[in-house]
Amino acid sequence: MRVIAGKARGTRLAGLKGADIRPTLDRVKESFFNKVGQTLEGETFLDLFAGTGSMGIEALSRGAEKVVFVEKNHQAQNLIYSNLERCHLGPDGVDSQDKNWVLLKHDALHALKVLDERGYSFDIVYVDPPFADDVYADCLLALSRSRLLMEASLVVVEHHSKKVLEKKYDKLAFQVERRLGDSCLSYYQIASGGSD
């Protein structure tokens, strides 16, 4: 597992043993960034179910203005800090006020409420829950009903290729999918005209 492009290109990221943390494969990450753009200059990125932090770190490496990592697993939280340090991303010191990333140590649904209350909005949201948890609908509906998304925001869901997601979650409408082995990336945006 490595950073593919940008200022931390080639840096190897540490992972965790065990089924609870399933890092996004490099080929899935590459497909995602080929679709959303090689550079994320000025973009805000939400890495929901961040795990090792691989996706958010890749976004920072490619110039994202701000990345929010959401991860409730304590071991994974430490791993995110370690991987950020390994990549020399952001100012030194976890508590620095001017760093360009935030780690929220909550479950995803609570984190979405917190971010909404704090007035955040995101250009890109990456949703990658453990495949077995099946919280896709809850997360996508919460996102759709929040103020976290702008008209042009992109929500991308990584899921098992056998899992069929809905075409619409309130205002979020399915756009396209990319299958990569057992993994699938489904892309959503706010439907023109909002919800039915």
Side-chain angles (χ1 to χ4, degrees):
M1 188 171 54
R2 63 192 171 85
V3 179
I4 297 169
K7 55 190 172 189
R9 180 181 180 177
T11 306
R12 294 242 167 235
L13 300 177
L16 275 181
K17 302 277 190 241
D20 286 349
I21 304 295
R22 172 192 44 78
T24 297
L25 299 173
D26 283 351
R27 68 180 173 154
V28 175
K29 191 181 348 179
E30 201 156 5
S31 172
F32 169 78
F33 283 100
N34 283 343
K35 173 91 171 132
V36 301
Q38 292 300 309
T39 177
L40 297 184
E41 291 291 336
E43 305 257 307
T44 52
F45 188 98
L46 174 58
D47 190 356
L48 207 55
F49 305 94
T52 64
S54 170
M55 294 302 288
I57 287 170
E58 187 76 35
L60 284 172
S61 181
R62 293 170 187 250
E65 183 177 308
K66 186 88 168 182
V67 171
V68 175
F69 300 90
V70 173
E71 180 53 58
K72 68 176 182 177
N73 180 294
H74 182 68
Q75 284 181 291
Q77 292 163 8
N78 290 333
L79 195 60
I80 291 168
Y81 287 137
S82 172
N83 281 332
L84 283 161
E85 191 176 320
R86 187 181 285 225
C87 293
H88 308 289
L89 290 170
D92 293 335
V94 165
D95 296 321
S96 173
Q97 293 301 305
D98 58 347
K99 66 183 183 295
N100 57 355
W101 55 268
V102 173
L103 170 58
L104 284 186
K105 302 173 181 181
H106 302 298
D107 69 72
L109 291 174
H110 181 65
L112 291 176
K113 286 181 190 169
V114 168
L115 290 167
D116 200 10
E117 287 166 3
R118 292 182 185 175
Y120 277 82
S121 61
F122 297 96
D123 297 294
I124 302 171
V125 178
Y126 195 81
V127 182
D128 182 19
F131 287 171
D133 284 6
D134 201 15
V135 294
Y136 302 102
D138 291 342
C139 287
L140 291 171
L141 285 170
L143 273 167
S144 178
R145 294 167 181 166
S146 74
R147 293 163 296 179
L148 297 172
L149 303 178
M150 299 168 282
E151 195 174 318
S153 297
L154 186 63
V155 177
V156 183
V157 185
E158 182 178 343
H159 57 97
H160 195 280
S161 56
K162 290 182 180 173
K163 170 70 180 175
V164 179
L165 298 182
E166 300 293 329
K167 295 295 182 193
K168 206 146 187 234
Y169 293 94
D170 197 47
K171 295 178 288 194
L172 276 176
F174 173 81
Q175 303 295 311
V176 68
E177 73 175 17
R178 296 277 184 269
R179 289 180 180 267
L180 301 127
D182 287 342
S183 294
C184 186
L185 295 177
S186 291
Y187 292 76
Y188 289 83
Q189 283 190 293
I190 292 176
S192 53
S195 58
D196 293 335

